Amino acid sequence: MPKASPSALESVSMADEGVPVSVKIRERLKAQNRRFNANDNIADCIEPGELAILLDEVESKMQGVLDSMVIDTATDHNTLNTARRVAKMYLNEVFRGRYVPPPEITEFPNAEHLNELMIVGPITVRSACSHHLCPVIGKIWVGVLPNQNTNVIGLSKYARLIDWVMGRPQIQEEAVVQLADLIMDRTKPDGLAIVMEASHFCMSWRGVKEMDSKMLNSVMRGVFLKDANLRREFLSLIPGRKA
């Protein structure tokens, strides 16, 4: 009997064979006219099972980097499987915030109509700079002024949101703005204040090798922008910080 012609789905699968999964994901993003900057989340353009395939691809590319740096990964027991370890570190840990959806956050109505300043922190930040992929380690404080319509979330959920946003190659100034946008959208308070203080290894580990310098920046939203007394109260309540 003559062999049946492949179905349309099979034809697409055959056409895709040999195409790197990173190319497939990138083409989906381009088709949606989406950017894929270092600090963007692209989870909704990754299909089930593709992250594991992407891990294999990154491992292969990382092995090429080690080879080009003339590092023996065949007989040196210290670098055996280093390419795999680095690939897992980037995709599953350090830059996980790029590849997974936002954490599930349980929200509750503000039943008691709370309207007093609440501060969460310090919450530890672990990120990496977009310029050199060097660690950025620091702390964040979040101040929220709720209203009767504010969605109340648990204290640990702030840490989960921060970890999701910071788990990407970031520039500190942009990261704090991203975080502020996210918290404002999820909780809808009257005001939001965020302060971040961090050490940048791209400055201490390389370059000028300045070990003691830190970057400090803040974002103020809502009533924190208009009420100087509220800003001072927030800053004065941050341990070790002066208003």
Side-chain angles (χ1 to χ4, degrees):
M1 292 181 64
K3 189 175 182 180
S5 300
S7 66
L9 184 60
E10 289 172 334
S11 297
V12 171
S13 178
M14 291 167 61
D16 280 351
E17 190 174 347
V19 177
V21 69
S22 61
V23 174
K24 297 177 185 178
I25 296 169
R26 189 179 294 110
E27 289 304 315
R28 289 183 204 125
L29 289 159
K30 289 180 177 178
Q32 297 178 25
N33 198 28
R34 289 260 303 277
R35 75 176 201 178
F36 42 97
N37 287 1
N39 61 359
D40 288 329
N41 178 272
I42 58 172
D44 58 344
C45 284
I46 300 176
E47 296 183 355
E50 285 187 335
L51 201 55
I53 302 172
L54 186 61
L55 177 61
D56 292 337
E57 182 182 335
V58 174
E59 177 188 0
S60 176
K61 298 293 178 63
M62 185 55 63
Q63 182 62 52
V65 171
L66 295 172
D67 291 342
S68 294
M69 294 174 68
V70 198
I71 294 176
D72 183 358
T73 60
T75 62
D76 181 355
H77 64 279
N78 289 317
T79 54
L80 185 67
N81 296 323
T82 289
R84 184 70 175 182
R85 286 191 292 267
V86 173
K88 290 172 68 175
M89 176 188 72
Y90 280 133
L91 265 65
N92 298 339
E93 298 177 274
V94 182
F95 299 154
R96 179 178 168 81
R98 277 181 56 75
Y99 305 109
V100 299
E104 292 291 333
I105 301 296
T106 304
E107 301 171 358
F108 304 95
N110 187 0
E112 298 300 323
H113 296 172
L114 303 173
N115 62 356
E116 299 294 333
L117 174 62
M118 177 188 72
I119 299 176
V120 183
I123 296 172
T124 301
V125 171
R126 300 173 186 87
S127 190
C129 77
S130 305
H131 296 157
H132 296 93
L133 303 187
C134 287
V136 175
I137 307 294
K139 298 184 182 300
I140 279 183
W141 293 264
V142 179
V144 178
L145 191 70
N147 59 53
Q148 63 181 8
N149 299 314
T150 295
N151 297 323
V152 179
I153 65 176
L155 297 183
S156 66
K157 304 307 184 289
Y158 287 98
R160 293 184 187 276
L161 292 174
I162 289 169
D163 183 64
W164 184 65
V165 170
M166 295 297 168
R168 312 165 194 177
Q170 285 283 12
I171 300 301
Q172 182 170 332
E173 306 94 299
E174 296 177 1
V176 175
V177 171
Q178 277 189 323
L179 182 61
D181 290 342
L182 179 62
I183 295 176
M184 285 293 291
D185 180 65
R186 297 298 290 267
T187 64
K188 297 177 173 55
D190 278 344
L192 175 70
I194 298 176
V195 167
M196 176 173 172
E197 180 184 68
S199 298
H200 291 246
F201 282 44
C202 58
M203 186 175 179
S204 61
W205 192 33
R206 56 160 300 280
V208 297
K209 296 183 174 66
E210 173 53 57
M211 300 298 295
D212 297 324
S213 293
K214 294 184 179 181
M215 182 175 179
L216 179 71
N217 70 322
S218 66
V219 171
M220 304 286 170
R221 298 283 174 84
V223 291
F224 283 96
L225 285 173
K226 304 173 184 178
D227 191 335
N229 290 328
L230 183 62
R231 284 199 303 275
R232 279 194 291 269
E233 180 184 359
F234 167 67
L235 295 172
S236 69
L237 291 173
I238 296 178
R241 297 259 144 243
K242 295 181 180 179

